């Protein structure tokens, strides 16, 4: 995909199938094969619950295999595409970013940690409980007088249930219980990665030494403290290269690289290809 063919950002209003006055919530059912070949992103949050499914769902350049009893989370600005198989049955709820931000306190950790785990496998019991909430929202949206507070409350319940299941499933979320400093480090990276690329900056804010922070990251994440910063920079660079018409030099500047050659060298060391090659291959 050439730079001029930048990936579109789809708004929640583009999925409206009726004349509801409030488009903060949308519910749709997916049946059968579906293909989104060209990646795109949304300006809203998406819960996607698979009752039956096959195929793949690619989120932020990571391919996830679709199966029954899964829930997929898609956050605003994440790039995604999918190829769903013939027998797919899924329910999806779209929540505007404005509304979603009002109940993010339902999640125990910063949003970035859940973005790292967008697919959660569910037990049959938890799946049935979530499906009940999804269908209750669908029913309320077809009521003559829609009670939006009920829909919002049910979405908060879904968010709480999913966060609990994610914490059971993924080791790094459990690590944050034992080592809150690592949770703080990841949260700070997500806030400051554009302008602060030095481990010493974060270590000072956390009141620990850079060496100790590096030891903790290697022990618990099997990665250096620096690599966590670089991973976040690389993800943002990929998103911008595919979703923006900006020249590569301007993208580099937005990410805190004031030398294009240095940015290109960094990107190639992370991905195996230069930024221009990456932009043109997709």
């Amino acid at each position: 995909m050439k730079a001029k063919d930048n990936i579109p950002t789809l708004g929640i209003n583009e999925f409206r199938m009726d004349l509801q006055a409030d488009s903060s919530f949308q519910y749709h059912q997916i049946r059968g094969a579906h293909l989104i070949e060209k990646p795109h992103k949304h300006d809203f949050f998406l819960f996607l619950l698979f009752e039956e499914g096959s195929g793949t769902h690619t989120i932020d350049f990571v391919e996830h295999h679709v199966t029954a009893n899964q829930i997929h989370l898609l956050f605003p600005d994440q790039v995604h595409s999918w190829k769903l198989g013939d027998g797919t049955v899924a329910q999806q709820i779209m929540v505007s970013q404005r509304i979603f931000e009002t109940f993010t306190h339902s999640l125990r950790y910063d949003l970035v940690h859940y973005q790292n785990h967008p697919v959660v496998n569910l037990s049959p019991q938890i799946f049935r409980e979530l499906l009940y909430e999804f269908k209750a929202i669908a029913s309320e949206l077809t009521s003559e007088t829609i009670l939006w507070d009920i829909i919002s409350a049910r979405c908060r319940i879904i968010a709480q249930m999913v966060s609990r299941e994610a914490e059971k499933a993924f080791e790094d979320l459990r690590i944050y219980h034992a080592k809150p400093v690592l949770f703080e480090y990841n949260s700070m990276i997500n806030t400051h990665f554009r302008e602060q690329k030095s481990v010493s900056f974060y270590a000072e804010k956390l009141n620990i030494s850079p060496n100790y922070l590096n030891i903790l990251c290697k022990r618990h994440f099997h990665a250096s403290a620096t690599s966590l910063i670089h991973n976040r920079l690389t993800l943002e660079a990929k998103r911008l290269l595919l979703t923006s018409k900006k020249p590569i030099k301007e993208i580099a500047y937005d990410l805190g690289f004031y030398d294009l050659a240095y940015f290109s060298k960094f990107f190639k060391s992370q991905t195996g290809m230069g930024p221009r090659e990456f932009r043109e291959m997709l």
Side-chain angles (χ1 to χ4, degrees), residues 7-15 36 40-44 80:
I7 294 174
T9 299
L10 304 182
I12 195 168
N13 285 327
E14 297 181 52
F15 294 87
I36 301 176
H40 67 273
K41 61 180 183 174
H42 302 147
D43 69 358
F44 55 87
H80 89 120

Side-chain angles (χ1 to χ4, degrees), residues 33-37 54-58 66 81-85 88:
H34 281 72
L35 175 65
I36 301 176
E37 189 172 12
S54 62
T56 58
H57 185 189
T58 301
V66 175
S81 60
W82 64 38
K83 184 178 181 181
L84 305 179
T88 298

Side-chain angles (χ1 to χ4, degrees), residues 180-199:
V181 67
L182 291 176
F183 164 68
E184 293 297 331
Y185 180 47
N186 273 283
S187 297
M188 289 172 62
I189 289 173
N190 197 51
T191 301
H192 300 291
F193 70 91
R194 291 175 180 84
E195 65 273 10
Q196 299 292 344
K197 301 173 179 59
S198 168
V199 173

Side-chain angles (χ1 to χ4, degrees), residues 63-170:
E63 186 176 271
H64 303 273
H65 292 283
V66 175
T67 66
N69 293 4
Q70 279 183 339
I71 190 161
H72 295 208
L73 311 178
L74 193 67
F75 291 79
D77 292 328
Q78 287 191 297
V79 177
H80 89 120
S81 60
W82 64 38
K83 184 178 181 181
L84 305 179
D86 291 335
T88 298
V89 179
Q91 331 286 323
Q92 60 179 353
I93 294 174
M94 302 171 179
V95 184
S96 71
Q97 187 166 4
R98 175 182 62 86
I99 295 296
F100 182 70
E101 288 174 350
T102 68
F103 62 80
T104 52
H105 64 274
S106 301
L107 304 175
R108 295 183 59 183
Y109 298 117
D110 189 273
L111 291 181
V112 66
H113 303 302
Y114 296 96
Q115 291 181 44
N116 293 335
H117 303 295
V119 176
V120 182
N121 294 310
L122 306 168
S123 69
Q125 178 182 343
I126 297 300
F127 170 80
R128 287 192 295 270
E129 292 174 7
L130 284 170
L131 184 61
Y132 175 84
E133 298 297 335
F134 272 69
K135 290 190 173 181
I137 289 172
S139 177
E140 185 63 37
L141 284 169
T142 61
S143 298
E144 186 174 341
T145 303
I146 299 173
L147 298 178
W148 298 104
D149 286 344
I150 289 179
I151 293 174
S152 182
R154 290 194 180 281
C155 282
R156 284 196 294 272
I157 290 171
I158 291 171
Q160 289 175 326
M161 291 176 67
V162 172
S163 65
R164 181 182 63 192
E165 295 307 303
E167 289 161 33
K168 291 178 185 176
F170 301 111

